[in-house]
Amino acid sequence: MTEVAQPFAELGLKDDEYQRILEILGRRPTDTELAMYGVMWSEHCSYKSSKVHLRQFADNAPSSEAMLVGIGENAGVVDVGDGLAVTFKVESHNHPSYVEPYQGAATGVGGIVRDILTMGARPIAVMDSLRFGEAEAPDTKRLVQGIVAGVGGYGNCLGLPNIGGEVGFDPTYAGNPLVNALCVGVLPHDRLQLAQAKGTGNVVILLGAKTGRDGIGGASVLASATFDDESPTKRPAVQVGDPFAEKVLIECCLELFDAGLVTGIQDLGAAGLSCAFAETAAHGDGGMHVELEKVPLREASMVPVEILTSESQERMLAIVEPANVAAVLALCEKWGALATVVGTVTDTGRLVITWHGETVVDVVPGSLADDGPVYHRPIQRPDLEQDALAADSSASLPRPSTGEALRETVLRMAASPELCSRRWVTEQYDRYVMGGTVLAMPHDGGVVRIGDDTSRGIALALDGNGRFAKLDPHDGAQLNLAEAYRNVACAGATPLAVTDCLNFGSPEDPAVMWQFAEATRGLAEACRALGTPVTGGNVSFYNQTGATAINPTPVIGVLAVLDDVAKRVPSGFGREGEHVIALGETADELDGSAWAWVMHGHLGGRPPAVRLDAERSLAALLRRAAADGLVASAHDLSEGGLAQAVVEAALINGVGATIEVIGDPFTSLFSESAARAIVTTDDAEALLALAGEHGVPATRLGVTGGDAVVVSDLFDLGLDELRAAFEGTLPALFG
Amino acid sequence: MPRVIVDVMPKPEILDPQGQAIARALPNLGFDNVTSVRQGKRFEIEVADGGDPLEVARLAAEAMLANPVIEDFTVHVAPD
Amino acid sequence: MPRVIVDVMPKPEILDPQGQAIARALPNLGFDNVTSVRQGKRFEIEVADGGDPLEVARLAAEAMLANPVIEDFTVHVAPD
Amino acid sequence: MPGAAGSLGPVSASITVGVVTFPGSLDDRDAARAVRAAGVQVIRLWHGDADLHGVDAVVLPGGFSYGDYLRGGAIARFSSVVGEIVAAAGAGLPVLGICNGFQVLCEAHLLPGALVRNAGLRFVCRDQVLAVENPSTSWTNQYAAGEQILIPIKHGEGRYVADAVVLDELEQSGRVVFRYVGDNPNGALNNIAGIANEAGNVVGLMPHPEHAIDELTGPSSDGLTMFASLLKALVAA
Ligand SMILES: Nc1ncnc2c1ncn2[C@@H]1O[C@H](COP(=O)(O)OP(=O)(O)O)[C@@H](O)[C@H]1O
Ligand SMILES: [Mg+2]
């Protein structure tokens, strides 16, 4: 080799990957080309380690006439009737949020919102799933305050209601918080947009913010390698969000779509312009010529590599017919959004990028966008560790038996960071803006009406229990899907589709790849069994500090529809005198439970049995009961079991209940068996009959009323005492 | 009692949406010759006598007043 | 190009919760001799040549950068 | 009182209310929906309009106009449409400023005082009980004096402040229109949630009546009364 070696390793490329680039090009890449391959072939952009596993979602997908656009596009699109469609997706912004909590979380919301906008949809709501280290740990407060403020700051300023999510604490997330943001949008079928540069001679227009040195190499650097603080030089400049610019971009793009002025549109996210040029060209006519010097810059001194890999926020790329360019520029002018012609669509089959006349990039766009490496990473179940974990069941833990001990346990669990009220978080989020929110925090699922002139609505829930997945990634993933599915069913909605954000450790660790393979296999199976296809999602690897990975955390979002939002079912007891009825079967299943963790710091054994048929029947029953106006409230039984569900349902409206427990009080109160819910109704007979028809076991527990949760013959808990315990924890911890 | 000033500004390469919004608005008020605006924070700190106030301020800035990943800061004694 | 600084501080009689929160937090970081903190804003403005930059800055501050109901401001040329 | 509003239908047919949209306005569609729910036609006004299109009243909605990174309303105040509104308000045009709209009215000196960062330093979204202190403004005439209503709040800069003289003047002249009942969510002086100008045609408040027009999407329908009040005032006029 006479020529000087190229710095491919610094760009995150492996030897064999560099060799492939040489083959593809038949020559040495230019520095600019090399950098583009570096970001485009990064784990984050190319899914090189996960591709082979994610295929199952499409291959084994249940047939669904509702699905209009499946996996592969920026987000899946689902038909909800009346000529309307819904698109939704959850995405991670974990690593940036650790470096700069506020901006990392804020730009995470901004990024997923642009994904939804790109489909031609008006974003109508967001949700967020957050994981932190132990609540009392030294660094947790900084991360919680910054991340929650960031999610709120961006979403509130964008005018999108936040309708739900989760907050979790576990030591494994200490050096590696999870920030998963979900956005959902609505579009008329005929407004669907695709990320394609079609039509030779069409014009490529860059919309929105100027390009700066933000997050250069961010995707490949931060999210595609184990992050160690020893190399601050590797840290890209933090991306700062400008929600106002994004709000303007949304209104501007929607007017462009409605006026039929664009033939293709792509958001700029990870890998910035590199990704947008390569993908739109590859999925269009195949050719594009970009004059890079036309890109408006924040810093004049930027060079092509920086411009192409910058991850500056609030930018979109539009493909426009020459005849429409003037109209597009005028519309952007009206909104005060920057719009600049930067290139044209060609039929050369090549992406050619010039810089003041000099060609700096000349490649087949597909080689960047689609021909990235695909790995079959080694998979190895860590038998010793996993078997030991399974053997270490919770059965040996001391269980409370007396009424007094049970009372203490309920109170302590309700006050634990694990199960306490999320109000401190959710009060920082606007849930009213847009005027369509029908249910939001603290109800099981968020429900929004999808338009002013329709009664139709959608329900969404987001769940991701990392402890069940740690005990068994396959079953754990299925249980997470089941919980989200149950949460929307409790609202009275019909589950339609799934989005997932798979948060795992390093794919180079065979044990982590085993978790990933198991989780994806389990999720694909369960989606098939429940008839809800995965329409899109996101993978986040390298969530680990040093050698220790986070608990495998598949966060699952389920989208459901309601024909009439007025029929939605809240989670809280409504009035005095409603009959409380338990649905589903309770077994002695406490391994991996909130009780084991909160009361004993114990994690071990086998997660609760997965009961997908029972989940289906339960959902069908809840839907029917809601449609018939038979239930006043419904709350799913999950973390903390029956005790926690009753506490939450009672506190929402300050209506207590007197219940009696059947069988062993401890198991009835704290087991986390799946496929269960409590409902309240004025007509117990009718509900029990309906449950019978659906083959769902149903038991009378008692009646609502009073200012206490009373468990007959065992204990009373006054609502004031409960509320103080439930509400006091997060404010005390995080100010 | 010695008063110290800590000036905190966004790093030059970091986006400053606040300053940009102002720069965009000023021309409409007739300030068309303002070419750029950057917005930062200013802290006035009073330090009890004893100990070097500037040193205290610098440490406080590093620890809490400035966010080193996106901001730079300078300290100086307040002109009175 | 001349650079001008506009410093905007909350009026003394206006409660400054941000400054107070910092003043409350600093002792926990070992800064027990910081007796008071007030937080304001700092603007760095670049003015195209021609016209008195200080005058431009003062007018911009009066019109927009500061709200006289709650804030006082001072302008000075940036030390380079 | 949708019923009352509806019964005025024929008269109200000719009445129009302008709802302003700035870049960064967020609750503008919601305000328009609420005005229509009270039986009044809406004309959307753009921030660049130098003409109010003959509307009989104006609502400045919530949001973050121009991003509001500097101070809520600090930039919107200079828009052409606000210039028109200031002039028309002086001549008696009913104007309601909600949240960001209230901030704009203060920045534009149509109302005294200022709205600063919440004392708790955090954005707060919750259902808030308010007391209607002055039921004689263009926007409150359908409420009873002292009536308690439940309206959502959602803001990070809603803490009302003014110097002692102004506060005194507001209290003496009954220009405190709404007060927070129970926990003060933002540290506002005298628990002030909303105030009026001397003539009572200009009212600003931090809470969001447009998000309390039915039990399905809001905590109550108490907010609808504010828009019904306007209709009453306009029909009477
Ligand atoms: N980070 C968050 N963002 C928005 N809403 C949240 C968040 N965390 C929790 N919530 C809401 O708070 C309520 C309680 O959360 P959780 O206990 O996880 O509900 P569930 O047990 O039904 O899944 C739910 O309505 C949930 O949507
Ligand atoms: Mg849940």
Side-chain angles (χ1 to χ4, degrees), chain B residues 11-59:
Chain B
K11 286 187 196 283
E13 71 274 16
I14 295 280
L15 174 68
D16 172 23
Q18 319 181 75
Q20 279 190 359
I22 295 165
R24 266 196 312 269
L26 283 176
N28 313 336
L29 282 68
F31 298 97
D32 11 36
N33 52 350
V34 172
T35 55
S36 116
V37 179
R38 292 186 67 79
Q39 178 175 342
K41 304 186 188 116
R42 180 172 197 270
F43 298 91
E44 288 181 6
I45 301 184
E46 282 185 356
V47 184
D49 302 293
D52 170 1
L54 275 180
E55 182 61 7
V56 172
R58 210 171 41 65
L59 294 171

Side-chain angles (χ1 to χ4, degrees), chain A residues 122 242 427 430 432 735, chain D residues 29-30 69 122 125 127 154:
Chain A
R122 170 175 286 280
D242 181 352
E427 268 198 352
D430 181 348
Y432 282 109
Chain D
R29 288 183 191 78
D30 306 333
Y69 302 120
R122 273 191 300 274
C125 175
D127 300 337
K154 49 187 191 82

Side-chain angles (χ1 to χ4, degrees), chain A residues 165-166 443-444 461-464 480 483-484 486-487 635-636 638-639:
Chain A
E166 0 159 59
H443 298 275
D444 280 351
L462 199 56
D463 287 290
N480 288 354
E483 187 186 346
R486 205 183 311 133
N487 279 333
H635 191 10
D636 86 302
S638 53
E639 267 198 310

Side-chain angles (χ1 to χ4, degrees), chain A residues 122 156-159 242-244 247 251 334-335 424 427-430 432-435 437-438 452 568 735, chain D residues 23-27 29-30 33 46 64 66-67 69 122-127 152 154 211 215-219:
Chain A
R122 170 175 286 280
N156 296 342
C157 190
L158 217 47
D242 181 352
F244 170 65
K247 167 65 178 174
E251 299 305 330
K334 169 193 160 192
W335 280 102
W424 182 89
E427 268 198 352
Q428 298 185 54
Y429 301 156
D430 181 348
Y432 282 109
V433 66
M434 294 191 108
T437 305
V438 170
D452 274 357
R568 93 290 185 204
Chain D
S25 290
L26 304 179
D27 307 86
R29 288 183 191 78
D30 306 333
R33 186 188 303 114
W46 183 241
F64 292 77
Y66 307 90
Y69 302 120
R122 273 191 300 274
F123 186 97
V124 182
C125 175
R126 70 172 68 141
D127 300 337
K154 49 187 191 82
H211 289 298
E215 269 86 6
L216 184 64
T217 59

Side-chain angles (χ1 to χ4, degrees), chain B residues 33, chain C residues 2-4 45 47-48 50-58 77:
Chain B
N33 52 350
Chain C
R3 258 171 66 252
V4 192
I45 301 182
V47 185
D52 170 0
L54 275 180
E55 183 60 10
V56 170
R58 206 162 34 70
V77 176

Side-chain angles (χ1 to χ4, degrees), chain D residues 92-192:
Chain D
L93 182 81
V95 177
L96 179 69
I98 302 170
C99 196
N100 188 223
F102 185 14
Q103 296 166 335
V104 173
L105 292 174
C106 289
E107 286 281 336
H109 309 306
L110 275 178
L111 293 174
L115 293 145
V116 300
R117 188 97 185 266
N118 293 352
L121 299 179
R122 273 191 300 274
F123 186 97
V124 182
C125 175
R126 70 172 68 141
D127 300 337
Q128 178 72 41
V129 178
L130 306 176
V132 181
E133 305 275 288
N134 177 343
S136 58
T137 74
S138 309
W139 301 92
T140 54
N141 59 60
Q142 298 291 289
Y143 291 106
E147 181 175 348
Q148 296 207 344
I149 58 178
L150 185 64
I151 308 279
I153 58 164
K154 49 187 191 82
H155 59 253
E157 290 183 2
R159 176 167 182 267
Y160 183 79
V161 298
D163 64 44
V165 180
V166 170
L167 274 182
D168 218 57
E169 205 278 332
L170 287 174
E171 295 287 358
Q172 297 315 317
S173 55
R175 286 165 55 194
V176 173
V177 180
F178 300 102
R179 234 186 274 273
Y180 300 114
V181 175
D183 289 354
N184 179 331
N186 53 30
L189 299 179
N190 298 16
N191 298 315
I192 289 173

